[in-house]
Amino acid sequence: MKIQKLLVFATVTAMLSALAAGCGGNNAAQPGGAANNTKAPAQELRINLNAEPPAIDSSLATTNPTFTVLNAVNEGLYRLDADGKAQPGLAKELPKISPDGLTYTITLRDGLKWADGTPLKASDFVWSYQRTLDPATKAKYATMLSWIKGGAALNKAKPEEVEAKKAELGIKAKDDKTLEITLERPVAFFTDQLAMPTFFPQQPDFVKKQGDKNGADADKIMGAGPFKMEKWDHEQSFVMVKNDNYWDAANVKLTKVTVNIVKDPNTSLNMYDTNQVDVTQLTGEQPKAFQGKPDLVFKKEFVTAYVMFQNKKVPAFANAKIRQALSMAIDRKTFNDVVLGGTSVPSTGLVPGVVLDGNKQEFRKVAGDTEPAFDATKAKQLLAEGLKELNMTSLPKFKLTSDDTDTSKKSIEFIQAQWKQNLGVDVDGEPLPFALRVKNMESNNFDALIALWGADYNDPMTFLDMWLSDNKSFNYVEYNSKAYDDLVKAADKEVDLAKRSKMLVDAEKLLMTDLPISPLYFRMRPYAKRPNVDGLILPSMSKEWELKWVSIK
């Protein structure tokens, strides 16, 4: 997930671990399996998550952990299936789209209810979208709702203009069951986007009552999804139970989901080995122990990890040659082998290889390798040239920030060593708890920072529009290039798909020449999953996992 997608997404780089020995040989009764041949297995799942999700609020959510939980406790008009295709969720059927591609008419299912049993109405979507776009909400993902007619105007409105702009917004409840959404321009993947948590409905009275605490605790979360939050012990675990008021409750098999917040891979390893969890991520060399076993599964993601250089906080980073030197001094293949156990793909640009170009081709095949390759000699030369341009003899010491998980710490250590060995540059490592790292990132309070971005939709724009000079939501490095802005904004309006694809390729080439960010790898994550856990989806975008269709065999 920009299902960060910031991941952004937001960063989740730690990979949790497991042992093959934990997959069998234990016949004791347990939530994940049957105690004997005559007793049906309890429909309870135990799963690890490596970061505490911030508040479960669809207007404010920006991280994968938050989107993952929102997708379990709430639902949009549509829900993505195992193939990433939109299937009717709260909507009765796929939308009726006008010939010009601008107007979507959507009918809700009969008898929809919130988890507390109150009716869910079309107007709950209208209120939700208005809240997200209201400038006072300060929603990072409001830019995505700006595709709706009048969305950008509302998001930039002065306080005295807000109510009038809300009334003009291109989403209307024709009645309790009918929504009409009008876009500023055609968006080919808009139906898929309606499955993203940013587009979920919200119950107005509940959200107003919670105020700024909305989504912060189990009793402050209201959804209409397959599950509901029953208990939340912050930084430790949370428990979700089946929502009997969900429209499709008859087809939800799990009755309970326990999610453990586990940052340490050794702890996670022990939990899987002792049958305390049924699903967990693997890290480093651990996938090798699962080769040939049914437990090993892979999550193929639209996710890129990169280093961001904050050029206002560290003036030296405003020099392109300094950024290029730091980028070219990192050996990405060795990084992948040493830090990630060879499970991911060394980056060759910003957009991951399997993302389409918007013209039915893979973007990476069309664009080729746009990121400068590892070259320690060239990097050293560029550093010297950059320092000379700045009238400096050495690069001032700065911090490299990331999460405080095991893999994140190893990432910091590897890059520190590369910069010291190849450039003679000393850097302080700063591992921080996930929530604090995100807070500092969102306030541009960092020097250099390792982050990940996950796609919100299958198109290069989800990676490229972040770095527009006027994108105050996600351009954390404060990159400013008129040439780049012109390319991306022109592509955003271009209806000729071949021309649009070329504009996006040219934009990435420019970005990878300037290098305000330095991509590291395209993420692919291994998981250990007990064979009796059936129907688990590991989505390519936005979410860690999808639980609606899971059952315990």
Side-chain angles (χ1 to χ4, degrees):
M1 277 160 29
K2 289 189 176 182
I3 262 88
Q4 168 141 303
K5 80 184 212 288
L6 194 65
L7 325 247
V8 346
F9 75 108
T11 302
V12 184
T13 57
M15 301 178 185
L16 307 180
S17 55
L19 284 179
C23 301
N26 188 335
N27 295 319
Q30 54 171 317
N36 53 58
N37 292 331
T38 59
K39 186 178 180 182
Q43 293 300 311
E44 299 180 10
L45 181 73
R46 303 147 313 160
I47 192 167
N48 285 342
L49 190 63
N50 60 3
E52 166 89 349
I56 310 303
D57 184 326
S58 59
S59 286
L60 301 178
T62 62
T63 70
N64 269 15
T66 310
F67 284 133
T68 300
V69 179
L70 276 166
N71 191 62
V73 300
N74 204 355
E75 187 165 83
L77 294 162
Y78 304 99
R79 182 175 286 268
L80 300 184
D81 62 17
D83 297 320
K85 304 294 185 183
Q87 301 297 336
L90 298 179
K92 181 180 179 181
E93 58 194 3
L94 292 176
K96 293 179 173 63
I97 306 173
S98 61
D100 61 6
L102 295 177
T103 303
Y104 288 61
T105 303
I106 302 167
T107 303
L108 301 186
R109 295 179 183 275
D110 295 332
L112 292 176
K113 296 179 181 179
W114 289 98
D116 65 355
T118 56
L120 189 154
K121 304 175 182 178
S123 58
D124 295 337
F125 284 91
V126 177
W127 189 86
S128 175
Y129 294 9
Q130 289 176 343
R131 176 178 180 247
T132 300
L133 285 163
D134 190 327
T137 305
K138 298 180 180 178
K140 295 286 186 179
Y141 270 89
T143 53
M144 199 165 291
L145 285 172
S146 295
W147 294 336
I148 298 173
K149 187 175 182 180
L154 170 54
N155 194 229
K156 297 176 182 177
K158 297 176 181 179
E160 65 272 17
E161 300 172 334
V162 168
E163 292 308 313
K165 296 299 182 184
K166 284 183 179 179
E168 296 171 3
L169 186 65
I171 176 170
K172 309 294 180 186
K174 309 298 285 185
D175 52 49
D176 285 349
K177 288 181 54 185
T178 310
L179 273 174
E180 183 180 89
I181 302 175
T182 303
L183 304 182
E184 291 279 6
R185 59 187 179 280
V187 178
F189 45 80
F190 188 68
T191 300
D192 292 348
Q193 281 308 98
L194 291 173
M196 184 181 177
T198 306
F199 292 84
F200 284 3
Q202 299 178 49
Q203 191 186 60
D205 292 341
F206 183 87
V207 174
K208 291 175 185 176
K209 181 180 178 181
Q210 306 312 316
D212 60 4
K213 299 296 183 183
N214 183 57
D217 287 295
D219 62 349
K220 295 177 175 59
I221 298 169
M222 179 61 65
F227 306 95
K228 58 184 179 181
M229 190 76 82
E230 182 179 68
K231 182 181 180 182
W232 190 355
D233 293 325
H234 289 283
E235 298 294 345
Q236 296 183 49
S237 65
F238 56 88
V239 176
M240 299 183 292
V241 296
K242 182 176 178 177
N243 175 19
D244 291 331
N245 284 318
Y246 178 53
W247 69 268
D248 199 26
N251 291 312
V252 176
K253 305 304 180 185
L254 291 178
T255 59
K256 180 180 179 181
V257 180
T258 301
V259 181
N260 305 292
I261 309 300
V262 186
K263 299 177 182 179
D264 179 58
N266 293 323
T267 301
S268 182
L269 169 66
N270 182 64
M271 291 177 72
Y272 194 86
D273 188 32
T274 57
N275 272 331
Q276 296 179 62
V277 292
D278 305 303
V279 181
T280 192
Q281 297 172 32
L282 302 174
T283 188
E285 299 292 318
Q286 292 160 359
K288 293 180 180 179
F290 287 83
Q291 292 298 326
K293 298 181 181 297
D295 306 64
L296 182 62
V297 294
F298 285 90
K299 178 179 172 69
K300 298 178 181 179
E301 299 183 296
F302 297 166
V303 173
T304 301
Y306 46 79
V307 179
M308 296 191 289
F309 302 110
Q310 223 301 324
N311 71 78
K312 297 285 180 66
K313 196 164 184 289
V314 182
F317 290 164
N319 183 282
K321 289 181 178 177
I322 298 292
R323 301 191 301 265
Q324 291 164 0
L326 292 168
S327 179
M328 293 175 70
I330 301 171
D331 184 341
R332 286 156 181 79
K333 182 180 185 306
T334 302
F335 180 98
N336 181 51
D337 292 340
V338 172
V339 178
L340 307 177
T343 58
S344 291
V345 178
S347 61
T348 54
L350 176 61
V351 180
V354 288
V355 172
L356 299 179
D357 71 337
N359 192 32
K360 300 181 180 179
Q361 299 182 67
E362 287 187 16
F363 182 84
R364 284 265 59 86
K365 291 181 179 179
V366 175
D369 296 351
T370 60
E371 182 178 13
F374 168 63
D375 187 332
T377 301
K378 180 67 173 177
K380 202 165 188 177
Q381 176 188 332
L382 286 167
L383 178 63
E385 292 175 2
L387 290 173
K388 185 177 181 180
E389 291 175 3
L390 296 170
N391 293 317
M392 301 170 65
T393 57
S394 63
L395 196 61
K397 203 166 197 179
F398 60 91
K399 292 180 181 178
L400 178 60
T401 303
S402 191
D403 295 336
D404 61 354
T405 54
D406 184 71
T407 301
S408 295
K409 290 177 181 177
K410 289 179 180 177
S411 298
I412 291 175
E413 292 167 1
F414 181 89
I415 294 172
Q416 280 179 302
Q418 290 275 286
W419 285 343
K420 177 65 174 177
Q421 175 183 331
N422 297 324
L423 297 175
V425 172
D426 287 309
V427 180
D428 290 330
E430 185 182 45
L432 297 175
F434 179 74
L436 178 58
R437 194 273 301 164
V438 172
K439 179 181 178 182
N440 285 357
M441 180 180 68
E442 292 182 344
S443 59
N444 302 342
N445 182 25
F446 64 90
D447 299 337
L449 184 146
I450 303 171
L452 293 95
W453 186 262
D456 295 318
Y457 46 94
N458 191 355
D459 188 88
M461 190 63 80
T462 189
F463 289 92
L464 297 173
D465 66 1
M466 297 168 62
W467 314 108
L468 290 169
S469 58
D470 60 359
N471 188 333
K472 305 304 181 185
S473 295
F474 298 107
N475 185 2
Y476 303 124
V477 296
E478 299 180 86
Y479 176 59
N480 191 330
S481 167
K482 184 179 184 302
Y484 183 79
D485 289 352
D486 289 346
L487 278 168
V488 174
K489 290 183 177 181
D492 195 36
K493 297 176 181 177
E494 181 58 62
V495 295
D496 184 311
L497 299 183
K499 290 181 180 179
R500 180 179 182 272
S501 173
K502 185 178 185 306
M503 289 175 182
L504 295 175
V505 168
D506 289 344
E508 193 199 55
K509 287 179 178 178
L510 178 56
L511 191 71
M512 292 295 95
T513 299
D514 287 349
L515 289 172
I517 59 170
S518 175
L520 296 171
Y521 59 90
F522 304 142
R523 190 170 69 178
M524 185 167 73
R525 286 188 287 169
Y527 276 69
K529 178 184 73 67
R530 300 199 188 282
N532 66 332
V533 176
D534 187 59
L536 179 71
I537 297 173
L538 300 174
S540 297
M541 299 184 290
S542 305
K543 301 171 286 293
E544 295 298 307
W545 21 258
E546 164 67 75
L547 302 179
K548 175 181 174 178
W549 294 285
V550 173
S551 63
I552 308 299
K553 299 299 185 181

